[in-house]
Amino acid sequence: MKLTADVGIIAAGPAGLCAAVSASEAGASVVVFEKANNVGGTANMGMGPFGVESRIQKAAFSNLTKEDVFRKFMDYVHWHTDARLVHEYFWKSGETIDWLEDMGVKFAGAVKYFPDSEATWHVVQPEDGSIPGPRAASTMNRILYRRAQELGARFLLETPATRIIKEDGKVCGILGKNAQGEEVELRCKAVIVATGGFGCNPEMIREYTGLDFGKNVFNFAVPGIVGDGIRMVWEIGGAKGRMSIEATGGVSPIGDSDPEAIELRGVFSQANLTVNKQGFRICDESIMQNSSVAANIIDEQTGKRVYNIVDDSIIKRFRRNGMPFSSNVFGSGNIDNFDERFTKLTELYPDCYYAADSLEELADKIGMNRENFVETVEEYNDACDDNYDELFGKNRKYLLPYRGKRFYAAVGCIGGYGTLGGIKVNWKQEVVDTEFNPIPGLWGAGSDINEIYDGTYMFYFPGNTMGFAVNTGRIAGERAADYALSLED
Ligand SMILES: Cc1cc2nc3c(=O)[nH]c(=O)nc-3n(C[C@H](O)[C@H](O)[C@H](O)COP(=O)(O)OP(=O)(O)OC[C@H]3O[C@@H](n4cnc5c(N)ncnc54)[C@H](O)[C@@H]3O)c2cc1C
């Protein structure tokens, strides 16, 4: 099959979809190759993108400005990133939320992810009117898909791109293979790559991040996201970008899809006593609400594991008073029959959940240093009695003593929402070669080019990776269309 277009787009995740809409809006003809049999990619599992100074935030009297966000973000990443690329993203982001709204996407609001974060997470209101939760953003993807098609973009589903065509130093097409096994050749003036990283490729994860998939990192491995775009770009001389896991630490990516494990996760997302294999405390546990910081804390521990502890007296308090941290991501907060339900989980996932009738027995089951652990609990109970955490200064409202009869532990480890980076771009999102010269006709967008966090995902401004994907997708579409339409046929 042979096709022509102004702009060819590799992949229809949120970055590719936004690129398809914006390039079409600019008047370019567009063909999109998508490997899966549906669109939206990883973002179908998520809830919404980042934005600052959106209409929604202004209507809520938010006083957060682009300038504030930019300065805080750049300080957070030690300016170890391309400041102009970050500027382009943040300055576009509020208006992109308005653009999505004008297309028909409804947002339930701009909210925080955890108490110390900012209300930048624009959570999508699902089309069916249900309360927003995981998968809410699939509605946004469906609306983008519809809009791109209305504007004339053509989508080739189940047609992975296999190669970028470059002739006389310029990018001029894409090769792919459709579901019937036929080769598809698109000749075009500009190409945008947005294949979402390599989160489902254990070899690449090991080689480029040093982590071991399924052993010490537990990615949400979306099938098909195996680094194709990165490989295709490197093959034609594109430079390597900095690569990392979009790490999230918490309890517990093992047994992740088990609905009961998700339901009870609210208990272990609290600022409970958390210890390492040596039985020592490692931080003010309330800090672990920021799950990318939690990933770093866990990364420092033996076996990259920590143990979040509760007992029956604490469960009783949670049932009576509610849990201090609530989240619409994990569970409804129902902890009735906790012992029975948790004990079942210990049978299903013996390396992840532990229950015992004494602290000593719990330590032995985990394989933890029993003397240190018992001493840690004694010291922690003293801190609770004194209402003062001398070690880490944890807020006294989280200081609950361990004086029950039955003890529970859940493992915390490093998970990944996916991966970040791989394709090097300049601030205009032009893919560059190893000398930082742009490769004519080639743009990147989304997670494939996202190396803006200096290693630790910036959760204080939640919605940041989907935000980066929709904004860099939209910008790449505009720039690629502009370039393609300026060339003579
Ligand atoms: C459970 C979960 C929840 C999340 N929630 C949020 C959230 O609420 N907010 C937020 O900011 N971020 C969230 N994220 C992260 C967010 O989903 C990603 O940052 C975002 O989807 C990246 O967009 P993308 O377009 O770059 O890539 P993806 O969404 O990963 O899409 C990549 C696309 O590339 C396609 N593809 C791969 N190879 C080829 C090929 N050879 N040819 C053609 N197509 C190909 C894939 O099929 C896929 O459709 C979440 C992630 C997970 C796992």
Side-chain angles (χ1 to χ4, degrees), residues 31 54 95 175 189 206 228 316 360 365 423 468 480-481:
V31 170
S54 68
E95 200 258 306
L175 287 182
K189 295 171 187 159
R206 196 172 309 115
D228 287 353
K316 204 166 151 191
E360 290 80 358
K365 280 189 170 171
I423 297 175
F468 186 83

Side-chain angles (χ1 to χ4, degrees), residues 234-301:
W234 290 350
E235 273 169 10
I236 59 158
K240 280 194 172 108
R242 196 166 54 210
M243 295 154 87
S244 61
I245 295 281
E246 188 189 346
T248 167
V251 173
S252 168
I254 309 168
D256 189 67
S257 52
D258 188 310
E260 189 68 321
I262 293 172
E263 189 66 22
L264 294 184
R265 194 173 301 163
V267 167
F268 298 100
S269 304
Q270 306 304 314
N272 308 317
L273 173 70
T274 300
V275 295
N276 60 15
K277 196 87 180 215
Q278 287 73 39
F280 295 128
R281 271 182 88 197
I282 45 186
C283 62
D284 162 1
E285 292 84 353
S286 68
I287 262 327
M288 294 183 87
Q289 276 289 295
N290 178 339
S291 54
S292 47
V293 167
N296 285 347
I297 293 169
I298 296 168
D299 191 44
E300 289 296 307
Q301 311 308 322

Side-chain angles (χ1 to χ4, degrees), residues 21 65 134 138 224 248 284 292 331 348 356 400 424:
V21 173
T65 65
S138 59
T248 167
D284 162 1
S292 47
L348 284 170
L400 304 178
K424 191 83 195 158

Side-chain angles (χ1 to χ4, degrees), residues 28-266:
S29 56
V30 170
V31 170
V32 185
F33 288 66
E34 169 53 56
K35 191 182 215 176
N37 63 5
N38 62 357
V39 300
T42 313
N44 286 334
M45 299 164 81
M47 289 172 61
F50 162 94
V52 57
E53 294 193 32
S54 68
R55 285 192 302 237
I56 293 169
Q57 286 160 318
K58 287 176 191 162
F61 301 109
S62 162
N63 57 8
L64 196 66
T65 65
K66 299 192 259 275
E67 290 81 4
D68 284 343
V69 168
F70 179 75
R71 176 56 70 160
K72 281 185 191 147
F73 182 89
M74 293 306 293
D75 282 348
Y76 182 89
V77 302
H78 312 104
W79 291 78
H80 193 200
T81 189
D82 184 332
R84 286 200 69 173
L85 177 65
V86 174
H87 175 279
E88 296 292 293
Y89 158 36
F90 285 165
W91 260 249
K92 190 96 172 169
S93 66
E95 200 258 306
T96 293
I97 298 290
D98 304 346
W99 177 72
L100 289 164
E101 274 196 303
D102 292 341
M103 227 178 276
V105 180
K106 292 194 174 63
F107 293 96
V111 298
K112 299 179 174 200
Y113 188 87
F114 57 93
D116 285 344
S117 61
E118 298 285 355
T120 57
W121 195 23
H122 288 73
V123 169
V124 177
Q125 173 59 56
E127 256 169 335
D128 63 7
S130 57
I131 296 170
R135 303 191 63 79
S138 59
T139 289
M140 176 187 81
N141 295 326
R142 267 196 300 281
I143 292 170
L144 281 162
Y145 184 40
R146 224 155 44 209
R147 175 75 181 140
Q149 287 175 303
E150 278 163 17
L151 290 166
R154 179 168 176 190
F155 285 79
L156 310 173
L157 300 184
E158 295 184 90
T159 308
T162 52
R163 197 155 74 76
I164 296 167
I165 308 171
K166 184 175 153 204
E167 288 168 1
D168 303 325
K170 284 186 183 159
V171 164
C172 55
I174 300 169
L175 287 182
K177 198 157 256 180
N178 68 17
Q180 291 71 45
E182 294 161 348
E183 187 168 88
V184 180
E185 180 178 335
L186 172 73
R187 287 279 159 173
C188 56
K189 295 171 187 159
V191 168
I192 299 168
V193 184
T195 61
F198 52 97
C200 193
N201 185 329
E203 289 77 32
M204 279 184 86
I205 289 177
R206 196 172 309 115
E207 185 166 356
Y208 296 107
T209 74
L211 290 165
D212 236 333
F213 184 82
K215 290 201 178 113
N216 54 29
V217 67
F218 300 87
N219 267 31
F220 288 95
V222 179
I225 303 198
V226 291
D228 287 353
I230 298 170
R231 174 189 51 78
M232 286 185 267
V233 165
W234 290 350
E235 273 169 10
I236 59 158
K240 280 194 172 108
R242 196 166 54 210
M243 295 154 87
S244 61
I245 295 281
E246 188 189 346
T248 167
V251 173
S252 168
I254 309 168
D256 189 67
S257 52
D258 188 310
E260 189 68 321
I262 293 172
E263 189 66 22
L264 294 184
R265 194 173 301 163

Side-chain angles (χ1 to χ4, degrees), residues 447-464:
S447 294
D448 278 346
I449 65 159
N450 188 345
E451 54 175 66
I452 65 171
Y453 307 113
D454 192 28
T456 300
Y457 174 67
M458 207 310 184
F459 236 132
Y460 290 105
F461 299 131
N464 224 300

